[in-house]
Amino acid sequence: MERYFLSRFLLVACILAAISLNGQGQDRAKQVAFDWIDDNAKTLNRVNKNIWNYAETGLQEFKSARELIDLLEANGFAVEEGVAGMPTAFVASYGSGRPIIGILAEYDALPGLSQEATPQRLERTGIESGHGCGHSVFGTASTGAAIAIKEAMAVNQVQGTVRLYGTPAEETGIGKTYMLRDGLFKDDVILSWHTGDRTGSTYAYTKALVSVKFRFSGLPAHASTSPHEGRSALDAVELMSAGVNYMREHVREDTRIHYVITQGGGQPNVVPPETEVWYYIRADKHTDVEKYFNWVQDIARAAAVMSQTELTTIQVDSDMHEVLPNRTLAEIIHRNLELIGAPQFSDEEKAFARATQTGLEGNYEQALSETIEPLPEEPGQGRASTDIGDISWFVPVGRLRVASYTLGAPGHSWQIVACTGTSIGEKGLRVAAKVLAASAIDLYQSQELREQAQADLRKIREPLDFVTLIPEGQKAPQVIR
Ligand SMILES: [Zn+2]
């Protein structure tokens, strides 16, 4: 009997020692990662500022991708460039074997959002685009996180593989969608983040979205001497818009339909023979997007009949599913946010942000958020869309947002461009990099957590059917327009 108790005692003692060793290992690994991020703050800030200055739009992010690739290669990562047929898409890897943890980086800017890093609206001369979604900070922080994880691997604190995915053209839902179609993202877990006006673990759905272009073909003619000989392809676009705007009354409230006329004709005295209109159709559930996409196509065909023109092309560029939230990953991220803390800003930074709040709706007590949002019990519902959505149907995805700009600033605004080009964005960058690295370290070191995240995904995916509106075999577009 005595021997039995002794062996039980030894077993329990061993388990306790292993747990505490693991805990210490985890702390040490995180400290290695945090130190790298702090020690290399200047480098990360420089990379962010360079990408911010380039402000390259989707699929044109050659210099931006290069910044990140150079930094990754200088830190021992193997980089595969031009993946999935997109020159600005890449995969950087370090380590070997499983578990494999992927981190997503975005770096595309937005057209029409040229802005200096000033607290007043001021266009940059000679540049039309700007980082109105904060993707310069996004890409840089994710890259910093991947390198910080590598540092922990290099001193044997973490085992496995880390992958940094360079994902272009997020704003049009191209990059990740086609990378996934090309067989990428075979990771155990994927982590991502986004700049925000607040800090928190993002436990929420996004909207599903189809991006589609309709082209009409008519007959050119002198618009004054022989209009009867012409058939206007612009009439088709306008009739289609009228139809869609009537349709709005009868769609679910969470639906969003927006369009731009990308080709509307040359000049008024020529009946426009060729036109193109570009639509985004969104809804909380992809099944609704499928339904409304069919309705919009019927309207386009009817508009062609009414204008005696031809609907020549319906081109689906991208189709993004709603992000499926993952409870396990949301909790891990929340715990690490609490460990690291929200960014804290100086009086100067607050004064800068305060000035950018002028003219915003709503009264904000603070200029910049310095607290962590509570983790909701139930997943929320975002109003934006992201091509992370499709990945989240196949791999557990954890996300967070970190205050990197003015509280209350609308998405895709000059305020975001201004702040992310300053030390405000840089503070968000460092917090995001640390939380991503720390959450990854927890996941490398716990098979149980990884399995739990997988189980969360299986449960939410089980009743859903993955239907894509992108034609089979279609390759990634080479240009946005
Ligand atoms: Zn974004």
Side-chain angles (χ1 to χ4, degrees):
M1 276 310 269
E2 235 173 60
R3 199 183 292 167
Y4 171 80
F5 280 117
L6 184 65
S7 66
R8 291 288 294 195
F9 172 77
L10 282 173
L11 181 68
V12 170
C14 282
I15 290 170
L16 285 175
I19 289 169
S20 94
L21 263 179
N22 190 36
Q24 282 169 19
Q26 212 162 31
D27 292 348
R28 270 205 302 275
K30 287 183 185 178
Q31 201 51 56
V32 169
F34 297 163
D35 287 348
W36 189 88
I37 292 162
D38 287 333
D39 295 347
N40 290 274
K42 269 192 189 152
T43 304
L44 295 172
N45 294 347
R46 190 193 66 231
V47 169
N48 170 52
K49 200 60 201 256
N50 287 347
I51 297 175
W52 187 94
N53 273 318
Y54 303 144
E56 295 167 303
T57 54
L59 301 179
Q60 303 302 315
E61 318 95 327
F62 295 99
K63 287 186 277 187
S64 307
R66 180 57 48 202
E67 283 286 330
L68 301 179
I69 292 168
D70 285 351
L71 183 62
L72 287 155
E73 283 182 338
N75 282 281
F77 277 72
V79 183
E80 195 189 338
E81 295 185 40
V83 295
M86 290 174 283
T88 56
F90 66 90
V91 185
S93 320
Y94 182 89
S96 62
R98 298 203 95 96
I100 306 169
I101 296 185
I103 296 178
L104 305 177
E106 297 174 5
Y107 33 81
D108 57 329
L110 284 157
L113 273 163
S114 176
Q115 169 66 37
E116 291 283 359
T118 51
Q120 291 82 31
R121 177 93 181 90
L122 180 64
E123 265 185 45
R124 283 173 69 196
T125 38
I127 192 145
E128 287 176 3
S129 47
H131 274 288
C133 208
H135 291 185
S136 62
V137 186
F138 184 159
T140 309
S142 296
T143 301
I147 299 170
I149 293 164
K150 173 246 156 180
E151 290 296 309
M153 281 177 171
V155 292
N156 290 322
Q157 296 291 337
V158 173
Q159 304 281 320
T161 305
V162 57
R163 284 192 188 136
L164 186 282
Y165 288 97
T167 70
E170 187 280 332
E171 296 295 349
T172 41
I174 304 287
K176 299 176 203 71
T177 307
Y178 287 89
M179 289 167 85
L180 181 74
R181 283 166 71 86
D182 214 48
L184 298 177
F185 306 117
K186 299 285 186 233
D187 310 80
D188 292 286
V189 170
I190 285 188
L191 300 175
S192 191
W193 82 288
H194 205 285
T195 52
D197 70 339
R198 293 173 172 85
T199 301
S201 176
T202 308
Y203 183 50
Y205 291 92
T206 58
K207 282 186 189 291
L209 182 163
V210 64
S211 165
V212 53
K213 288 167 184 153
F214 295 87
R215 294 193 192 103
F216 295 92
S217 188
L219 270 177
H222 193 296
S224 189
T225 63
S226 43
H228 56 285
E229 300 282 5
R231 293 294 179 269
S232 170
L234 181 59
D235 287 357
V237 166
E238 293 196 88
L239 288 164
M240 180 182 173
S241 308
V244 169
N245 290 332
Y246 277 103
M247 167 191 170
R248 275 182 213 286
E249 177 72 359
H250 307 285
V251 295
R252 285 180 188 279
E253 281 196 57
D254 56 82
T255 310
R256 294 272 194 282
I257 308 174
H258 20 267
Y259 58 90
V260 287
I261 299 172
T262 41
Q263 191 185 348
Q267 59 186 44
N269 63 349
V270 181
V271 172
E274 306 292 335
T275 54
E276 182 189 81
V277 60
W278 182 9
Y279 274 80
Y280 276 9
I281 305 164
R282 308 186 199 227
D284 287 353
K285 300 294 169 215
H286 192 266
T287 43
D288 283 335
V289 169
E290 293 163 37
K291 195 167 67 187
Y292 296 140
F293 176 51
N294 283 333
W295 192 347
V296 170
Q297 287 181 87
D298 281 345
I299 292 169
R301 283 188 279 267
V305 171
M306 282 189 278
S307 55
Q308 296 202 330
T309 60
E310 200 188 336
L311 173 61
T312 56
T313 321
I314 300 176
Q315 182 186 306
V316 175
D317 282 344
S318 184
D319 180 24
M320 300 180 241
H321 288 68
E322 61 270 34
V323 165
L324 301 179
N326 192 290
R327 183 74 202 175
T328 303
L329 299 180
E331 284 176 2
I332 293 170
I333 287 168
H334 186 75
R335 279 200 298 274
N336 282 299
L337 260 175
E338 285 186 326
L339 173 75
I340 291 148
Q344 302 298 303
F345 298 99
S346 69
D347 290 345
E348 233 175 42
E349 288 160 344
K350 286 175 188 169
F352 183 102
R354 181 59 89 193
T356 70
Q357 279 176 326
T358 313
L360 289 181
E361 276 184 34
N363 283 321
Y364 296 94
E365 263 180 45
Q366 276 88 33
L368 289 160
S369 166
E370 295 182 296
T371 53
I372 297 167
E373 302 287 308
L375 180 64
E377 283 301 314
E378 295 299 323
Q381 174 65 58
R383 287 192 296 270
S385 310
T386 167
D387 55 7
I388 297 172
D390 281 26
I391 302 174
S392 76
W393 285 54
F394 299 96
V395 187
V397 174
R399 301 187 299 144
L400 74 144
R401 63 216 181 272
V402 181
S404 313
Y405 53 79
T406 313
L407 189 59
H412 295 183
S413 63
W414 70 266
Q415 289 93 341
I416 299 179
V417 188
C419 290
T420 54
T422 71
S423 58
I424 299 170
E426 291 165 359
K427 284 189 174 168
L429 188 164
R430 278 196 296 285
V431 168
K434 286 179 185 177
V435 176
L436 288 171
S439 303
I441 287 165
D442 287 339
L443 286 154
Y444 279 111
Q445 294 182 335
S446 170
Q447 189 180 345
E448 197 188 333
L449 287 176
R450 296 194 302 272
E451 283 175 0
Q452 212 177 300
Q454 295 279 355
D456 287 354
L457 172 58
R458 279 195 298 276
K459 195 172 155 209
I460 200 166
R461 229 344 263 282
E462 209 238 330
L464 304 173
D465 210 7
F466 187 85
V467 173
T468 180
L469 302 171
I470 301 173
E472 213 184 307
Q474 182 171 301
K475 298 287 175 205
Q478 293 303 298
V479 283
I480 299 296
R481 288 198 175 171

